[in-house]
Every structure is written in C-alpha cells, then in structure tokens.
C-alpha cells in the first residue's frame, strides 16, 4: 500500500462516521419533530376553524411531503423500471389517500414510518459508535529502532520486519511477534478476553491492544489494512451493508403483496360503495 494511503483510509472512515452522526441528529430529532409539528398544527387549525379552511390541508400535505418525499420519488422511479418495491406500495396507497382528501391520515402514516426509521437509525448508530471506538484504538505514532536508533514515526510508515517498542500504558501500533521483554497486555477489544494476557518472547501482538505493565520489543508482521484491527473494522462495515435473509424474503413478498391486496380493496368498495373503504384497506396494508 502506498505511503499515507492507510492514513487517508482511516480519515475517510472517520469522516463518514461524522456525517452519519449528523444524519442521525437530522433523522432522530429534526425530521420527526418537524413532521409532528405540521400534523398538530394542521389538526388544531382544522378543528378550530382558524384562518383559511384550506390551511390545515396545506400543512398536512407539507407534513406528508416532509415525511416521505423520497419514498414517492423512489416509488415512481421503481414503477418506471417496472419493479414492485415497498416504496411503490407506499406511493400507491398514500397517493390514493391524498386523492380522496384524507390529507391528515396520509401525514400520520408517514409520521409513524418516520418514527420507525428514527428508531432504526438509533440502533445503527450504536454499531457506528462501536466502529468509531475501534478506530480510536489505532495509535497515530510508533517508536521503532532503525540503524540502532530509536525513532518516533507515524504509524503508517511502519514496515514489516521493523523492530517496534511499546512502553507501559501505550497501545500497540501494528501486529507483531515479541522479540524482547514481557508485559501484561489487555486485548479485550480484539479477542474479547476479560483478563489481560501475559506476553513474552514469541507471543503474538495485535494492533490497538494496550500494554499495561512492561516494555516490549517486537517485530512487525502486519501493518496498515492487514492488521487484525483494520480487518475487524472492515468486516463490521461490510455487515452493515449486507441485508439479512429475512429482508430478502420481505422484498420478494412485497412484489406479491401489492397485487393481492388490491382484491380486498376492490371488494371493500363494491360492498360499501365507498371509495374511502377501499383506500383505508390500502392504507392499513
């Protein structure tokens, strides 16, 4: 890997986490509260008959747009590609609800969905915090012996077979094998061991673990993205991007559910002769 490439990767990952944090604040607080405020304003204006009778409807439509404009966008986009997704289902049912004049009902449904997304985002943030914690374990500098002289260098400049020194209270910068000294090393973040492990000559060390007691000299065996710590971070990030098997089942089910649910909606209309009944069935579904 070229010089500074690993440092750039770490900075990019930390920047991505900061952006995720800002998105989390928007999702958990500003977005749901904004939708709820518009819904409440619409409801009370409508009940109190304050100002224009259309103002409540406008606010309800604004809440609907704020709470799910992107769902409509992706729903319409999927329809153009002849795909049936959950966003297509949302688009069809909410559009029908709006067309029959149930603006507030559409807004409330989207608020519930927004709230559910906020809970999901909160759960994901716990995982992101775990990744941030792992990234924070990686030291930025390392003490190495080169040409018989101890030098402090950026950790990204450590090369395989370099002799690295770690003093008590310092974190191990790269993976390696002990060549001199002994120490008690806390490696719970990597291995999950609750108690510190005694390291002597020949013992394996992991980047990010904490040297608690003695001075260690070791030979670097893995650096940069090849360290165990970097691989763990990479695996956790990959896990975030993968769908669980149940999600794939849900995606396939959605493609069948929309055509099927039209049948009870049609029956509801023919039995009651009320379009609101058919729309209610779509909305509940």
């Amino acid at each position: 890997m070229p010089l500074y490439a690993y440092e750039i990767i770490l900075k990019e990952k930390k920047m991505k986490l900061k952006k995720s944090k800002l998105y989390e604040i928007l999702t958990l607080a500003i977005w749901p509260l904004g939708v709820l405020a518009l819904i409440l304003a619409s409801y009370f204006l409508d009940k109190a008959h304050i100002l224009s009778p259309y103002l409540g409807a406008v606010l309800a439509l604004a809440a609907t747009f704020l709470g799910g404009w992107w769902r409509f966008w992706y729903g319409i986009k999927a329809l153009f590609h002849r795909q049936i997704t959950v966003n297509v289902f949302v688009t069809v049912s909410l559009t029908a609800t709006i067309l029959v004049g149930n603006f507030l009902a559409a807004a409330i449904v989207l608020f519930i969905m927004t709230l559910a997304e906020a809970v999901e985002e909160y759960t994901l943030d716990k995982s992101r915090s775990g990744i941030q914690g792992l990234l924070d374990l990686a030291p930025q500098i390392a003490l190495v012996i080169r040409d018989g002289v101890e030098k402090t260098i950026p950790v990204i400049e450590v090369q395989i077979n370099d002799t690295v020194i770690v003093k008590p209270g310092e974190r191990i910068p790269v993976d390696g094998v002990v060549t001199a000294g002994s120490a008690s090393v806390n490696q719970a973040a990597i291995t999950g061991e609750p108690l510190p492990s005694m390291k002597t000559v020949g013992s394996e060390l992991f980047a990010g673990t904490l040297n608690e007691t003695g001075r260690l000299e070791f030979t670097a065996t893995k650096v940069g993205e090849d360290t165990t710590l970097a691989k763990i971070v990479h695996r956790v990030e990959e896990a975030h991007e993968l769908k669980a098997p149940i999600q794939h089942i849900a995606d396939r089910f959605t493609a069948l559910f929309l055509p099927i649910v039209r049948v009870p909606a049609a029956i509801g209309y023919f039995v009651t002769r009320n379009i609101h009944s058919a729309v209610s069935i779509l909305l509940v579904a």
Side-chain angles (χ1 to χ4, degrees), residues 32-256:
L33 288 177
V35 175
L36 180 60
L38 288 171
I39 289 173
L40 291 175
S42 171
Y43 176 79
F44 286 115
L45 284 174
D46 185 59
K47 290 297 181 184
H49 302 290
I50 300 174
L51 303 177
S52 170
Y54 299 105
L55 184 57
V58 170
L59 292 176
L61 282 173
T64 303
F65 178 78
L66 179 62
W69 65 267
W70 61 272
R71 287 188 178 277
F72 289 102
W73 168 254
Y74 285 114
I76 294 169
K77 199 173 179 180
L79 281 174
F80 275 111
H81 290 87
R82 298 182 179 180
Q83 298 173 343
I84 302 298
T85 65
V86 67
N87 288 320
V88 170
F89 202 173
V90 171
T91 300
V92 170
S93 59
L94 291 181
T95 300
T97 305
I98 291 170
L99 288 176
V100 298
N102 289 337
F103 307 121
L104 196 57
I108 290 171
V109 168
L110 276 174
F111 170 69
I112 293 170
M113 297 177 75
T114 302
L115 201 58
E117 288 167 2
V119 173
E120 180 183 1
E121 187 64 28
Y122 175 77
T123 305
L124 288 174
D125 182 64
K126 294 297 183 183
S127 303
R128 295 191 191 102
S129 298
I131 296 176
Q132 182 66 62
L134 288 172
L135 290 174
D136 291 340
L137 293 178
Q140 300 301 308
I141 59 173
L143 181 62
V144 301
I145 300 177
R146 288 183 179 173
D147 302 323
V149 179
E150 293 184 5
K151 296 180 179 179
T152 299
I153 62 173
V155 70
I156 56 169
E157 295 182 11
V158 178
Q159 300 175 2
I160 293 176
N161 294 325
D162 271 348
T163 298
V164 184
I165 299 173
V166 182
K167 298 176 182 179
E170 295 179 344
R171 290 197 177 273
I172 294 163
V174 295
D175 289 4
V177 176
V178 178
T179 56
S182 62
S184 178
V185 176
N186 185 334
Q187 49 189 24
I190 303 297
T191 65
E193 296 174 86
L195 299 176
S197 177
M198 194 65 190
K199 302 293 183 179
T200 57
V201 175
S203 298
E204 188 176 8
L205 298 174
F206 302 108
T209 55
L210 178 65
N211 178 8
E212 294 188 339
T213 54
R215 172 189 167 105
L216 290 173
E217 291 185 15
F218 67 94
T219 300
T221 56
K222 294 178 183 178
V223 298
E225 285 221 308
D226 293 328
T227 63
T228 303
L229 176 62
K231 288 180 178 178
I232 290 173
V233 171
H234 184 62
R235 289 293 177 87
V236 172
E237 288 179 333
E238 280 185 339
H240 284 168
E241 297 171 2
L242 294 176
K243 283 188 175 182
I246 190 65
Q247 287 180 282
H248 290 290
I249 295 172
D251 290 341
R252 291 197 297 270
F253 177 71
T254 300
L256 297 172

